Amino acid sequence: MNMQEPNLHPALRRFAQGPTVQERAAAITDLLADKVFQKVAKTEDFASGVAGLMDVLRHSSTGDDRLAALVQLVRISQSAKTIAADIRRQVAPLLNDGLVPVRSLKEADDRAYVAKACRWTSAPWVLDYAIDGMVSEDTGETVRAEFAEIVFSRATNLTDIFLGVRTAATGLRFETESPADSMAGRLARIIAALRVAVVGSLLPPGDSPGERLAELIRLPMSSTGLPTKEERQLGLAKEIILCTYDLVRTRFSLATDSDTYSALKAAKRLFVGGSWPEELRHDLERMANSILEAILLLAKQGLFAQSLAEHLEIVVNHRQRADALLRDLADGHPELSESVRAWLRKATRPKGSGMRDTVVASQDLRTDPFIAQAILDASRVEEGISALQAHVIPALQLYDPTLVSSLESHVDRAKSLVSIISDIGRQRRLGVLGIVGQEMDFAPKYFEAVGGSAGLRARVLRPAVVRLSEDGQPGEVVVKGLVESGDIKPTAKHQ
């Protein structure tokens, strides 16, 4: 449409006058279609339309109208950067009282706008709202991912997230020909979103996250039964296996806890006869390798891990196969004590040997993975301390000196905590191998590649924690680091 003045556009007049949210939404669509949105965004008529939407959000007694108005305000902020900050500033205090469930919106794009708005407020209702949005989302995987990011930014640990998702998923109802298949498909997509967030998050695990993950599968499906479609069985089982694997590889303190692997039983029960299908072989091999590494870690400390051996049997399908892997572990590590090697070869706990079991084992040995995780977290805290001292405290001295002493006190306590953790690590001869961002030769013993493979050179995403020898050289791995491929592509020899 040709026009001399942007404020003469008929859609602008309709946006200003309304009076309904739907009429203003249609006007926004026309302004965007005619590519005049940026030109009119700072006019008085446009400001009148924005004020009308704000009034609905502020005063309407109808929850659906408030939600619809919020959608359009976020939509405007995404399309008109010049007024986006002002819109967020006005909207934020209007979100203190919560919103009706986002599932009441039919369009995935609209639900995505609501998810973005949830980031504008720190109100406590947002966490439960985002969990419900993540679980109730049907087709919009981008929307689910957006809500998942919000959940992980507000929750305190992984266990609380799994509990919240379990509660929301247990309330799902499907009016379909096969509610069990529908539930399995939904759970698979939910866990896929959780996996991405787990890998990218620094949240601590909490209490028994593996058990809570198992409940997240078991309880919602108790009302529908097991899925019957092969693709739904495979999809859900794959996500359960990979989520368990991601828990282990990103929180190594969980690796030696048999409860971490509880969800694998729920995954295997999806298949008639209790045997894994061939399509899952690659993912199960990765899981088996992780369990074997955990068994080896405990074996090097003179500890038995019968419960981990039982989970290994679940993963590899057959007791004989599990026994063979444990024998290979014993044969490949002659440095292990003879009693532990004997246990590995038999794959059962020796009777009357007087050896320690994992339940009653020396606590200082079993806590090494936890200490290792604390060392990694302490290094991040130390980086934060440097940033506070270099930038935040000087700025506060200029703008709000009354807060300086309180922040400096927190900095001192953080320094003390970092120092204590470092001392504990030195006493246990634990050291950090690698620096975030550093490019180095890929060492599979100490690092795991994101994506499953790396080349000759790799870039460190998370350092490894190792036990140092007497001369300070890296020895056994306590917590593997994470790397991504460097500039040199992988060769067959190093894959």
Side-chain angles (χ1 to χ4, degrees):
M1 174 179 290
N2 295 324
M3 46 184 290
Q4 296 179 346
E5 296 294 336
N7 60 351
L8 297 179
H9 196 291
L12 178 60
R13 289 194 294 270
R14 287 190 284 115
F15 178 66
Q17 295 169 1
T20 67
V21 173
Q22 291 72 23
E23 288 169 325
R24 288 191 165 104
I28 291 173
T29 299
D30 291 343
L31 291 170
L32 288 169
D34 287 345
K35 299 181 180 180
V36 297
F37 199 86
Q38 297 286 350
K39 295 179 181 179
V40 304
K42 301 198 75 172
T43 64
E44 291 186 6
D45 284 342
F46 195 86
S48 296
V50 170
L53 292 172
M54 289 287 182
D55 190 58
V56 173
L57 182 60
R58 183 181 291 108
H59 297 300
S60 178
S61 59
T62 305
D64 287 344
D65 286 346
R66 292 188 71 237
L67 201 62
L70 178 63
V71 166
Q72 298 310 314
L73 288 166
V74 179
R75 187 183 178 197
I76 291 168
S77 75
Q78 296 286 297
S79 302
K81 303 300 183 183
T82 56
I83 61 173
D86 185 57
I87 287 177
R88 289 195 297 270
R89 180 186 59 78
Q90 294 184 64
V91 168
L94 304 181
L95 298 179
N96 289 334
D97 297 332
L99 300 166
V100 296
V102 70
R103 58 180 176 272
S104 65
L105 295 170
K106 295 181 179 180
E107 299 297 326
D109 286 345
D110 291 348
R111 297 193 293 273
Y113 287 133
V114 175
K116 293 181 185 299
C118 287
R119 297 181 183 273
W120 297 357
T121 177
S122 58
W125 60 267
V126 169
L127 176 57
D128 289 339
Y129 189 87
I131 289 175
D132 184 73
M134 180 176 62
V135 171
S136 64
E137 181 59 39
D138 185 13
T139 58
E141 296 312 308
T142 302
V143 180
R144 197 187 321 279
E146 185 90 26
F147 276 123
E149 288 183 12
I150 295 171
V151 170
F152 276 74
S153 70
R154 305 297 176 99
T156 56
N157 58 61
L158 300 184
T159 293
D160 288 348
I161 293 174
F162 292 162
L163 283 171
V165 172
R166 182 200 74 187
T167 300
T170 302
L172 288 174
R173 296 293 181 268
F174 296 95
E175 301 297 328
T176 60
E177 291 183 2
S178 175
D181 289 317
S182 298
M183 178 67 81
R186 180 69 60 83
L187 289 176
R189 294 193 292 274
I190 291 170
I191 296 174
L194 289 174
R195 286 204 301 111
V196 174
V198 163
V199 172
S201 166
L202 298 178
L203 283 179
D207 184 28
S208 301
E211 274 289 339
R212 303 294 83 78
L213 176 61
E215 293 171 358
L216 193 161
I217 307 302
R218 201 166 53 240
L219 295 182
M221 300 207 73
S222 65
S223 63
T224 63
L226 298 178
T228 57
K229 292 182 180 178
E230 183 181 11
E231 63 179 276
R232 295 301 172 91
Q233 295 167 347
L234 286 170
L236 179 55
K238 183 180 181 69
E239 292 302 333
I240 295 170
I241 294 166
L242 292 178
C243 190
T244 303
Y245 178 72
D246 287 337
L247 283 175
V248 171
R249 74 187 180 101
T250 59
R251 278 109 178 136
F252 272 87
S253 61
L254 297 174
T256 56
D257 185 351
S258 63
D259 287 345
T260 303
Y261 307 94
S262 298
L264 298 176
K265 294 180 181 178
K268 196 171 186 179
R269 279 196 291 267
L270 294 172
F271 303 101
V272 177
S275 293
W276 299 107
E278 178 62 23
E279 290 88 339
L280 299 174
R281 182 176 61 83
H282 177 68
D283 298 318
L284 290 167
E285 285 180 353
R286 297 166 71 183
M287 192 74 260
N289 287 337
S290 293
I291 296 176
L292 284 168
E293 286 183 5
I295 291 173
L296 178 59
L297 175 63
L298 293 173
K300 286 183 175 181
Q301 300 171 16
L303 306 176
F304 300 124
Q306 183 61 36
S307 55
L308 289 180
E310 292 168 359
H311 282 291
L312 178 65
E313 183 180 338
I314 291 172
V315 170
V316 301
N317 252 347
H318 301 293
R319 173 64 182 272
Q320 292 81 0
R321 173 63 175 153
D323 288 350
L325 290 171
L326 292 173
R327 284 196 300 271
D328 291 343
L329 199 64
D331 295 340
H333 294 274
E335 76 279 8
L336 299 176
S337 68
E338 285 305 314
S339 55
V340 172
R341 294 181 72 200
W343 169 76
L344 287 171
R345 289 193 181 101
K346 297 176 182 177
T348 57
R349 178 183 174 185
K351 296 181 180 180
S353 65
M355 291 298 294
R356 298 166 294 175
D357 187 87
T358 52
V359 178
V360 294
S362 169
Q363 288 302 306
D364 59 343
L365 292 174
R366 293 200 65 200
T367 54
D368 277 353
F370 297 93
I371 296 172
Q373 188 65 54
I375 290 172
L376 293 176
D377 290 341
S379 66
R380 297 189 185 98
V381 171
E382 201 164 20
E383 294 172 1
I385 290 173
S386 299
L388 285 173
Q389 291 178 316
H391 305 293
V392 179
I393 291 178
L396 281 179
Q397 288 173 337
L398 289 175
Y399 298 107
D400 197 345
T402 60
L403 297 177
V404 171
S405 61
S406 177
L407 185 56
E408 287 178 335
S409 176
H410 283 294
V411 166
D412 290 339
R413 284 194 289 271
K415 284 182 176 179
S416 176
L417 184 60
V418 169
S419 177
I420 291 170
I421 292 172
S422 298
D423 288 342
I424 294 172
R426 280 191 290 270
Q427 291 175 12
R428 299 292 305 146
R429 289 195 292 114
L430 299 180
V432 175
L433 180 63
I435 301 171
V436 174
Q438 175 187 14
E439 193 168 295
M440 59 191 300
D441 292 338
F442 176 53
K445 175 181 178 180
Y446 299 114
F447 293 93
E448 181 174 322
V450 173
S453 64
L456 296 172
R457 301 282 289 175
R459 191 172 297 104
V460 177
L461 299 178
R462 184 188 67 199
V465 178
V466 300
R467 194 177 308 284
L468 302 175
S469 62
E470 294 296 335
D471 60 358
Q473 295 302 308
E476 68 179 80
V477 180
V478 178
V479 170
K480 272 194 172 185
L482 293 177
V483 296
E484 63 181 356
S485 295
D487 295 331
I488 301 177
K489 299 298 182 183
T491 63
K493 180 180 178 181
H494 290 86
Q495 285 183 339

